[in-house]
Amino acid sequence: MKSQDTPFEGGPMDGRVLPVLLGPTGHPPKTYRIPVPDAAGGPPTVLVYRRVPRGHSRKLGLPQGWKYEFADEGDRGAGRWSGGASGLRWPWSKPGTTPGTESGTTPRTPPDATPGGRRDDADE
């Protein structure tokens, strides 16, 4: 697998450059988690870094490379599927709700195709 020397900014890893494995698309992962063991033997502290473009080309505005910036909020919203601040959102979803629920209520049943809830020939 290919790797790329990627700089880290902010946090305890500030100024360091580490080789990061590239994915099948040739990009490093969107988030990089570094577990730091606890000196007292407790659970490790996880440092979370997010991938950001290092610079952009002049004409097309394409990323010229990647760097990692420290995310001080930790694991919250660190990925697409985590359900955090940067989690997966659909344009038709209301803010602060999950699909199929309304303002924290129980999931609703899909609406009937017949207007007004009247019976039709398909219900028999």
Side-chain angles (χ1 to χ4, degrees):
M1 293 195 69
K2 291 181 73 174
S3 65
Q4 174 182 358
D5 290 337
T6 309
F8 286 77
E9 291 184 357
M13 299 291 290
D14 192 21
R16 295 189 184 177
V17 177
L18 295 177
V20 175
L21 291 176
L22 303 179
T25 59
H27 298 291
K30 289 183 179 180
T31 57
Y32 197 81
R33 292 177 178 87
I34 304 171
V36 179
D38 188 28
T45 303
V46 178
L47 303 175
V48 180
Y49 285 84
R50 288 196 174 58
R51 182 187 73 185
V52 294
R54 193 183 311 179
H56 295 282
S57 63
R58 289 185 181 190
K59 292 191 178 194
L60 297 177
L62 299 174
Q64 291 289 327
W66 303 99
K67 64 182 177 181
Y68 283 105
E69 287 184 351
F70 183 65
D72 17 331
E73 68 267 6
D75 265 341
R76 190 172 41 106
R80 176 187 306 213
W81 309 109
S82 66
S86 64
L88 186 62
R89 284 187 231 136
W90 299 103
W92 54 83
S93 298
K94 293 180 182 177
T97 62
T98 58
T101 62
E102 294 177 355
S103 304
T105 61
T106 59
R108 62 180 179 191
T109 58
D112 192 11
T114 307
R118 292 177 287 186
R119 295 181 49 86
D120 60 358
D121 294 337
D123 289 338
E124 296 175 357

